[in-house]
Amino acid sequence: MSAQERLTDALYGFGWSAVKTLPEPVAVRLGRTVADVAWKRRGKGVRRLESNYARVLPDATPERLGELSRAGMRSYLRYWMESFRLPAWSRERISNGFDPKDLHHLTDGLAAGRGVVLALPHMANWDLAGAWVTTALRTPFTTVAERLKPETLYDRFVAYREGLGMEVLPHSGGSAFGTLARRLRDGGLVCLVADRDLSASGVRVGFFGEPARMPAGPALLAQQTGALLLPVTLWYDDSPVMQGRVHPPIEVPETGTRAEKTSVMTQALADAYASGIAEHPEDWHMLQRLWLADLDPPEGAK
């Protein structure tokens, strides 16, 4: 393990051990202070966040983009402060911490005994939404986690999410898709964060007028298992309660090849994400490259 990896692991360990013991107003102030310091330093992540917001709001002035990136960093640090504290929240605090709109799309699908795939972008606090599902709805679900370095950090994230009632599968290894499909065929729930995929298997979509890639997994799972595919978007307001919306189901096209159906369904997911992000751009925490135009060209390309 490198020195940088040890430092990263130690910082996350400190967050989960120390931040969760702070009174909530103190944690809120701490998160805002850290966000403002990071924003003023204008590091790589902040600059990328601002660049991504420029795609969402192409007519925004530099001043407006600066205000938006500052709000975005505050939202991002709110996510981290909440996540560090979630293991210490009571069931009542979790149940009262999220107010999803149009929840009937999810509850009706589950009541019908049909598997459901919830697909979310990196908005607000998806971990809180997951904890709310296991707590308020008393519904277990399965998700996947990207392998992180060092391995101890990955283990921390898995333990954290399992402690919130989630079944967590590793993203790599090839067996996750089969397990997710089995859960869905049994009428279970699968939740996936699915707004960024830089792999060769990513589906090309139009996103705010430019090409990007998003994961094929949600659409493929719906096709192969008959599960309901529901986009979800999340956002914060000025209250301690996170807001959200369960969008209408994305249907499997009646005609076309599997690849054609997957393309149509993934584009519909991208459109649902775009509608939520356009309304609440500051709560979209995309501090990485997403659009194809921002990615490095393949080796040997001229």
Side-chain angles (χ1 to χ4, degrees), residues 3 11 36 52 95 100 111-112 124 129 133 145 154 178-179 184 193 206 222 230 253 273:
L11 288 174
D36 288 349
N52 289 340
S95 296
V133 168
Y154 170 78
T179 302
L184 292 168
V193 179
L230 300 176
Y273 296 161

Side-chain angles (χ1 to χ4, degrees), residues 23-101:
E24 189 156 341
V26 176
V28 170
R29 288 196 299 272
L30 175 61
R32 179 162 292 199
T33 298
V34 172
D36 288 349
V37 170
W39 178 77
K40 290 176 182 177
R41 291 181 60 185
R42 291 193 59 78
K44 183 178 179 181
V46 173
R47 296 195 305 273
R48 176 56 57 192
L49 181 66
E50 201 164 292
S51 174
N52 289 340
Y53 286 157
R55 280 346 199 293
V56 177
L57 298 172
D59 297 328
T61 64
E63 292 76 17
R64 170 60 178 142
L65 290 174
E67 293 171 356
L68 193 58
S69 64
R70 183 178 189 179
M73 289 303 295
R74 287 183 171 184
S75 176
Y76 185 50
L77 264 295
R78 175 173 172 176
Y79 159 75
W80 279 113
M81 291 298 108
E82 287 180 347
S83 294
F84 287 143
R85 292 172 53 76
L86 264 176
W89 281 14
S90 67
R91 295 183 65 87
E92 181 181 14
R93 177 70 178 86
I94 293 174
S95 296
N96 294 333
F98 181 38
D99 182 21
K101 312 299 187 292

Side-chain angles (χ1 to χ4, degrees), residues 11-300:
L11 288 174
Y12 280 102
F14 173 79
W16 272 304
S17 64
V19 173
K20 70 180 181 182
T21 67
L22 296 174
E24 189 156 341
V26 176
V28 170
R29 288 196 299 272
L30 175 61
R32 179 162 292 199
T33 298
V34 172
D36 288 349
V37 170
W39 178 77
K40 290 176 182 177
R41 291 181 60 185
R42 291 193 59 78
K44 183 178 179 181
V46 173
R47 296 195 305 273
R48 176 56 57 192
L49 181 66
E50 201 164 292
S51 174
N52 289 340
Y53 286 157
R55 280 346 199 293
V56 177
L57 298 172
D59 297 328
T61 64
E63 292 76 17
R64 170 60 178 142
L65 290 174
E67 293 171 356
L68 193 58
S69 64
R70 183 178 189 179
M73 289 303 295
R74 287 183 171 184
S75 176
Y76 185 50
L77 264 295
R78 175 173 172 176
Y79 159 75
W80 279 113
M81 291 298 108
E82 287 180 347
S83 294
F84 287 143
R85 292 172 53 76
L86 264 176
W89 281 14
S90 67
R91 295 183 65 87
E92 181 181 14
R93 177 70 178 86
I94 293 174
S95 296
N96 294 333
F98 181 38
D99 182 21
K101 312 299 187 292
D102 298 326
L103 185 64
H104 65 91
H105 292 306
L106 170 59
T107 55
D108 290 352
L110 293 173
R114 187 176 180 183
V116 177
V117 180
L118 295 180
L120 306 86
H122 287 81
M123 291 188 77
N125 192 336
W126 47 95
D127 286 326
L128 172 55
W132 185 89
V133 168
T134 62
T135 302
L137 296 186
R138 299 183 182 275
T139 301
F141 67 87
T142 305
T143 188
V144 297
E146 181 181 356
R147 285 279 185 190
L148 301 172
K149 292 184 178 180
E151 189 75 14
T152 51
L153 180 57
Y154 170 78
D155 292 340
R156 287 187 191 276
F157 271 98
V158 170
Y160 156 63
R161 290 181 171 132
E162 288 180 341
L164 298 175
M166 311 175 193
E167 179 188 21
V168 183
L169 307 176
H171 186 271
S172 59
S175 62
F177 188 91
T179 302
L180 295 174
R182 286 194 295 273
R183 299 291 183 270
L184 292 168
R185 290 191 182 101
D186 290 339
L189 176 64
V190 165
C191 299
L192 302 170
V193 179
D195 58 343
R196 184 175 185 264
D197 188 343
L198 305 184
S199 71
S201 63
V203 179
R204 187 179 176 115
V205 297
F207 196 52
F208 291 101
E210 292 191 43
R213 288 195 190 98
M214 293 188 181
L220 287 173
L221 285 166
Q223 289 178 62
Q224 294 194 17
T225 68
L228 204 63
L229 176 55
L230 300 176
V232 178
T233 52
L234 309 171
W235 67 93
Y236 292 125
D237 57 17
D238 293 331
S239 77
V241 179
M242 185 176 69
Q243 306 298 311
R245 174 168 290 108
V246 181
H247 295 253
I250 293 176
E251 302 294 341
V252 178
E254 295 183 359
T255 60
T257 65
R258 185 173 71 169
E260 289 169 343
K261 292 177 180 180
T262 300
S263 177
V264 170
M265 295 172 73
T266 306
Q267 182 62 62
L269 269 181
D271 292 342
Y273 296 161
S275 70
I277 291 167
E279 291 179 357
H280 308 281
E282 68 279 5
D283 293 317
W284 185 44
H285 307 150
M286 186 54 65
L287 280 72
Q288 300 169 299
R289 295 175 295 176
L290 174 71
W291 281 273
L292 300 189
D294 293 335
L295 302 179
D296 294 331
E299 288 188 27

